[in-house]
Amino acid sequence: MRPASFGPDGARARRAAVVPAQAAAPSYVALGDSYASGTGTRVYLDDGSDCLRSANAYPSLIAAARGYALNFRACSGAKVADVTSSQVSALSATTNYVTVQVGGNDAGFADVITECALPGWLSNCNRKINTAQSFINNTLPSRLGTLYADIRARAPQARVVVVGYPRLFMGEDCNALTWFSRSEENRLNQTADLLNAKISGVAAAHGFSYANPTSSFIGHAVCDNPEWINGLSWPIVESFHPNIAGHASGYTPLVSPLLTG
């Protein structure tokens, strides 16, 4: 009698023994605020939260294209403290990739936009901008530094990409119920640039890559054609956030190469 290993069943057994188990999908954790969650894309995941996470947001698009296992923690309205308290717990020593986009809410950018959108005789846009710029210069960097150190401690082997914010305006206001002047738009764009500069500096100090969307969104700001950032919208929460095209054509091709290497 021939040994079983020479028979058909034995051959199948030998082949099965050398077939490696399927590798687990790389782990990707997306942290941040409404710009990371996909608020503005108008279609959201039914995940039992009010975070307005979208399958059209850049973390979802990158994960789908790369076959990553996405732990989607970014949430509309999040500040640095919220990322620390309710998002970074998703990180671990086995996390492969991380994106983090936060800081705009800490600087009160929504309040600034709301104030500056009013007619000049009803608002004090410059005062709001000055307050935001002071915070960005003097307070935000230390907050981000503490957060980034926490991310690295929790995910020591992960590739981390910090993501910035686009300029909202290109010198035009086509919305019927907003009254942004040219000078106000310029100052708001300067504030976005300042925010990006501070975020980028802290990211570099922690050895993280930085994705600056400024160039990617030129020609696609509010009221541009095509517009990648919503103007005044209903519901209001959709306003002044990247739309589906902004995530697909603006953020995704910018962030993906930095994340995946």
Side-chain angles (χ1 to χ4, degrees):
M1 179 181 298
R2 292 185 301 174
S5 60
F6 289 96
D9 291 339
R12 283 195 295 270
R14 290 199 309 278
R15 288 196 296 271
V18 299
V19 173
Q22 185 174 0
S27 169
Y28 168 27
V29 179
L31 309 171
D33 58 22
S34 55
Y35 269 65
S37 73
T39 305
T41 61
R42 302 184 183 276
V43 180
Y44 303 107
L45 302 173
D46 184 11
D47 60 4
S49 78
D50 58 359
C51 287
L52 301 181
R53 301 183 182 112
S54 175
N56 295 304
Y58 70 83
S60 299
L61 298 178
I62 292 171
R66 298 287 181 173
Y68 295 165
L70 175 62
N71 192 331
F72 203 175
R73 291 298 185 94
C75 189
S76 180
K79 298 182 178 181
V80 171
D82 300 305
V83 176
T84 299
S85 65
S86 61
Q87 297 185 24
V88 297
S89 58
L91 302 171
S92 73
T94 62
T95 300
N96 300 105
Y97 303 104
V98 179
T99 52
V100 54
Q101 184 176 16
V102 69
N105 289 325
D106 292 75
F109 216 67
D111 290 339
V112 174
I113 291 291
T114 300
E115 183 76 12
C116 294
L118 296 171
W121 59 275
L122 276 177
S123 73
N124 195 331
C125 178
N126 283 322
R127 183 180 63 187
K128 281 284 190 179
I129 290 175
N130 291 342
T131 300
Q133 290 184 351
S134 177
F135 177 89
I136 292 167
N137 278 316
N138 300 314
T139 304
L140 183 61
S142 63
R143 288 191 186 182
L144 292 175
T146 300
L147 172 63
Y148 295 169
D150 191 13
I151 290 171
R152 177 50 74 210
R154 292 172 181 267
Q157 304 303 319
R159 182 186 295 271
V160 181
V161 176
V162 176
V163 184
Y165 298 87
R167 294 173 181 169
L168 298 180
F169 303 103
M170 287 294 291
E172 185 178 1
D173 182 7
C174 62
N175 294 283
L177 297 178
T178 59
W179 289 267
F180 297 103
S181 70
R182 180 69 63 89
S183 64
E184 288 170 346
E185 290 187 355
N186 287 338
R187 289 208 70 201
L188 289 167
N189 285 344
Q190 290 166 4
T191 304
D193 291 347
L194 176 64
L195 179 60
N196 284 334
K198 294 300 180 181
I199 292 173
S200 174
V202 182
H206 288 78
F208 296 164
S209 298
Y210 177 69
N212 186 347
T214 301
S215 296
S216 299
F217 279 81
I218 288 178
H220 304 291
V222 172
C223 298
D224 279 341
N225 185 20
E227 180 183 70
W228 289 358
I229 302 173
N230 299 327
L232 184 64
S233 304
W234 186 259
I236 292 294
V237 71
E238 304 281 343
S239 304
F240 305 104
H241 284 78
N243 54 29
I244 288 177
H247 280 271
S249 300
Y251 270 119
T252 297
L254 171 70
V255 176
S256 184
L258 294 174
L259 187 68
T260 59

